[in-house]
Amino acid sequence: MTNFKSLILGSAAAMFAVAGAQAADLPVKAKPVEYVKVCSAYGAGFYYIPGTDICLRVGGFLFSDFSINNRGDTGYLSTGAARDRNDDWTAFRIRSSMIFDARTNTEYGTLRSYLSAGFQWDTSTNGQTWSQANTGNSSWYWNAAFIQFAGFAFGLAGSFFDFVPHMTMFTFSSKSVSTSPMIAYTAQLGQGISASISMEDGTARRSRILTTNYITGSNGVDVYASQFMPDFIANIRVSQAWGDAQVAGAIHQVKSTDGLGHAFGGAGVDSVEYGYAFLGGLSFKLPMLGANDSFQIEGVWSKGAVTFTGINASSYSKAGSLAYVTSGVAPFFNPMDAYANANGSMDLTKAYSVNTQFRHFWTPTLRSTIGYGYLKVDSPSSANSFGYADARLHQVVGNLIWSPVKNLDIGTELYWNDLKTTNSSQLTANDSESWWGGAFRVTRYW
C-alpha cells in the first residue's frame, strides 16, 4: 500500500510539473499598441508623439523656378556691380525646406518650438559644386528656428519690425524683410491688439559705414565695428476682421572703428551714433471685390539704418550696392548707414520707402498680385563730395498664379525696375537705367 501511494503521488507531481512547463511556454499577451493619435487643438496636420503630450506637425515646401535677368549679381539689387557677360542672364533655382512645429499646452499657455530649414541649388558660373557651405551651386539655410513660451520668443525668426509678408515671388527693395536671432516678448491686449518688444541681432540689419582712405585717396573703405549693441524694436499691431495695422520703431547702433588707422591716417578712430527707423502699415481684406482679395501698404522712414527700408532685398546678405551697369556706365549706388569723416565723426544716411501690393482672385484657383515700390536714399553731403551718390528706385511687379489642386502653385511673374542716381561728383553720362526680368515657378506645399 505504501508503495502504491508513493506511485500515485509521484505521478501527480510529475503531471503538475509538466503542466507548469507547458503553461510557461504559452505566449504572453502583448501590450496594446499605442497608435498615433490626431491632435486637433492646434489645427489640421498635428499628431501626438506617442508616449508624450507633444503635438507635432511635419510639413514643408519645394519650389523650382526658371528666371530671366534676375539671379545674377544685381537681380535682387543687394550685391554686384557691372551687368555683363559674366552674369547668368537665365538661371534655375530649386529650394526645399522641412518644417517641424511642436506644441504643448501648459499652465503658462502654449509651449512651441519651430524649425524650418532646407537646401537650395542655384545656377552658378562655378559649376555644379555640392557642398554644405554656401559655395558653388548648393547651399543650406535656416528660415526659422525658435522657441515660444509665455509670450516670449527665443531664436531665429522674422523681425518684429516687419509688416505682413510679400504676396509676390520676388523680394521688393522697398519692403522690409529680415530674419534675425532675437529675444522678444509679445503681450496680447485683447480685441486683436498686441504689443511686442524685441532685441534682435544688429548685424542682420547692417548696410555699411563707408569712408575714403585719406592716405591713398581711394573710396569704399567699410569701417563698421563688431556688434556691441543689438537692435531694439517695438511694435503695436491690430488684427481685426477688416484686416491688419501696425506701427513699429527700431534703434540701431552705428559704430565705426579703424584699429589700423589706414583709412584716417592715424592710430585709430572709434565713433558711435544711433540710427533709427519707423514703420506704418495697413492691410485690408476686400471681399466686396472677390473672396480672399486684399490690399496692403506700408511706409518706412529711417536715419542711419537704411536696410529697414527694404534695401537689403534679402534676409541672407547685407546690401553692398545697387547697380545695373552696362557698357561701363552708371547708375551705381553704394548704400551706407553712415559716412565717416577724416576726424572720425559720422554723418548718417536718410532713407525712406513706400510699398503697395494688391491681390485679386479671378477664380478660387487663379489669382494675381500687382505691386509697386518706391525707395529714396539720401547719402550725407559729406559723402556726395567724395563721389557717393544719392538714389531713387521705382519697382513694379505683377504675377499670375494657378492652383489646380490644393497646395500646388504654378505661376509666372514679371518685374520692372528703374534706378536713378544723383548728387555725386563722379557720375557718368548715364545716371539712370531701367530693366526688366521674370520667372516661372512651380511650388508644392505639404
Side-chain angles (χ1 to χ4, degrees), residues 15-282:
M15 292 176 62
F16 280 114
V18 171
Q22 291 176 341
D25 292 338
L26 291 176
V28 179
K29 185 178 181 181
K31 294 181 179 180
V33 177
E34 187 172 4
Y35 292 98
V36 175
K37 296 184 296 183
V38 173
C39 175
S40 59
Y42 306 109
F46 282 89
Y47 295 86
Y48 284 102
I49 298 176
T52 74
D53 60 350
I54 300 174
C55 295
L56 176 67
R57 178 184 178 274
V58 178
F61 67 85
L62 187 151
F63 74 66
S64 173
D65 70 22
F66 172 76
S67 62
I68 299 174
N69 201 20
N70 186 57
R71 299 296 186 208
D73 287 346
T74 59
Y76 274 113
L77 297 180
S78 59
T79 59
R83 190 67 160 149
D84 54 29
R85 67 183 64 191
N86 293 320
D87 296 319
D88 296 311
W89 287 77
T90 63
F92 289 89
R93 169 172 288 180
I94 295 89
R95 177 182 293 179
S96 63
S97 182
M98 290 296 298
I99 297 173
F100 299 90
D101 190 351
R103 308 188 194 188
T104 306
N105 187 32
T106 74
E107 58 183 306
Y108 299 96
T110 300
L111 169 61
R112 182 189 187 193
S113 59
Y114 184 93
L115 171 65
S116 176
F119 298 89
Q120 180 168 298
W121 193 98
D122 276 301
T123 296
S124 171
T125 54
N126 296 325
Q128 299 183 18
T129 304
W130 291 91
S131 171
Q132 287 187 336
N134 293 346
T135 58
N137 302 81
S138 180
S139 62
W140 57 268
Y141 62 92
W142 303 83
N143 287 317
F146 60 82
I147 297 170
Q148 290 179 313
F149 177 67
F152 288 92
F154 310 91
L156 183 72
S159 173
F160 278 81
F161 184 85
D162 298 341
F163 191 42
V164 291
H166 281 268
M167 296 188 292
T168 57
M169 298 179 191
F170 296 131
T171 306
F172 279 94
S173 293
S174 56
K175 182 174 177 62
S176 179
V177 178
S178 181
T179 301
S180 307
M182 65 178 63
I183 299 175
Y185 177 76
T186 299
Q188 300 295 335
L189 306 179
Q191 305 298 317
I193 303 174
S194 65
S196 300
I197 55 174
S198 179
M199 182 176 67
E200 304 183 7
D201 192 312
T203 63
R205 290 285 195 174
R206 286 185 174 184
S207 182
R208 294 182 294 178
I209 300 175
L210 290 179
T211 190
T212 300
N213 189 316
Y214 294 94
I215 301 174
T216 65
S218 61
N219 286 341
V221 180
D222 186 359
V223 291
Y224 236 120
S226 298
Q227 177 170 261
F228 283 78
M229 187 190 88
D231 290 347
F232 289 95
I233 293 170
N235 74 37
I236 297 177
R237 187 180 181 93
V238 179
S239 296
Q240 304 283 355
W242 53 265
D244 304 280
Q246 178 176 306
V247 292
I251 299 175
H252 176 75
Q253 187 184 60
V254 185
K255 181 178 177 64
S256 71
T257 186
D258 181 31
L260 298 178
H262 68 275
F264 303 115
V269 177
D270 200 346
S271 182
V272 179
E273 297 286 349
Y274 292 91
Y276 44 89
F278 300 97
L279 174 145
L282 289 170

Side-chain angles (χ1 to χ4, degrees), residues 322-343:
L322 300 188
Y324 198 85
V325 183
T326 57
S327 303
V329 295
F332 183 89
F333 170 68
N334 297 106
M336 68 183 81
D337 286 336
Y339 181 80
N341 298 296
N343 61 4

